[in-house]
Amino acid sequence: MNVQLFEGERIRLAALDPEKDAEVWSKWTTDPEYLRLLNPDPARPLAPNQAKKQLEELEKDAEKWKNQFHFALRERADDRLLGFVSLYRIEWNHRTSLARLGIGQAPDRGRGYGREALRMILRYAFDELNLHRVGALTFEYNIAALRLLERAGFVIEVRRREAAQREERRWAALMWGLLRDEWRVTRSESDP
């Protein structure tokens, strides 16, 4: 079976392009729901030139530290920027990493792009980079992320109770983990 590493059914993973992507990235930073789902930090909207600088910094850090990979999620049909997916904090000696992904515009969420991106980045992490473990951090208010990670075979390893405050209540931060062998079982069960 010939499986494309960076091309899925509807999306492809590509390099982030600071020149091309800054305008769209900037718009995402003005969407409170996108920011809420991504992390608990206070919203910090970025102008296009600031977004470009942020993307350039990600690129420089990846080159400098060699412990992170950042990809743009692009729709195959029209090359539109949909979101991003990253492997970061890679510890090569332990063969571990954290994964993070975000889908920028509300109409694109819940359409399976995140599931496809996660499947692709896990294949990259386990089959290409030979990692043993991939982790992910979410907050319990992000129901879509909880479902996505659970369906992919991740298990909750750490629950930091009342770690974030949103919407006048406290929420747990959840650290998830997936081991290579678990991923292989989950992947083989979901293959037709």
Side-chain angles (χ1 to χ4, degrees), residues 115 118-119 122 126 145-155 176-179 182-187 190:
R115 184 174 53 250
L118 184 60
R119 188 171 37 244
L122 290 174
F126 292 127
L146 303 180
R147 284 190 201 129
L148 176 67
L149 293 170
E150 191 170 26
R151 285 182 188 152
F154 282 78
V155 295
W176 299 75
L178 178 64
L179 305 178
E182 296 167 339
W183 170 74
R184 286 199 168 128
V185 169
T186 303
R187 182 177 65 169
S190 64

Side-chain angles (χ1 to χ4, degrees), residues 47-100:
N49 66 324
Q50 293 171 310
K52 179 182 175 195
K53 185 174 180 173
Q54 186 180 62
L55 292 171
E56 289 169 346
E57 288 299 317
L58 281 174
E59 205 172 66
K60 285 179 192 170
D61 285 349
E63 181 59 33
K64 179 180 178 182
W65 299 108
K66 309 276 192 235
N67 69 345
Q68 51 194 300
F69 295 92
H70 304 286
F71 297 98
L73 302 180
R74 297 196 186 281
E75 192 165 44
R76 284 184 63 183
D78 61 9
D79 206 41
R80 181 172 59 93
L81 182 64
L82 297 166
F84 74 92
V85 64
S86 300
L87 290 173
Y88 66 104
R89 291 190 183 163
I90 298 173
E91 296 178 355
W92 295 108
N93 55 328
H94 300 298
R95 296 176 34 225
T96 65
S97 175
L98 292 173
R100 186 172 190 211

Side-chain angles (χ1 to χ4, degrees), residues 5-25:
L5 184 59
F6 297 112
E7 287 199 15
E9 195 174 308
R10 297 182 305 148
I11 64 170
R12 69 183 183 85
L13 304 183
L16 288 164
D17 182 340
E19 288 290 331
K20 181 178 174 182
D21 298 335
E23 186 77 30
V24 173
W25 195 273

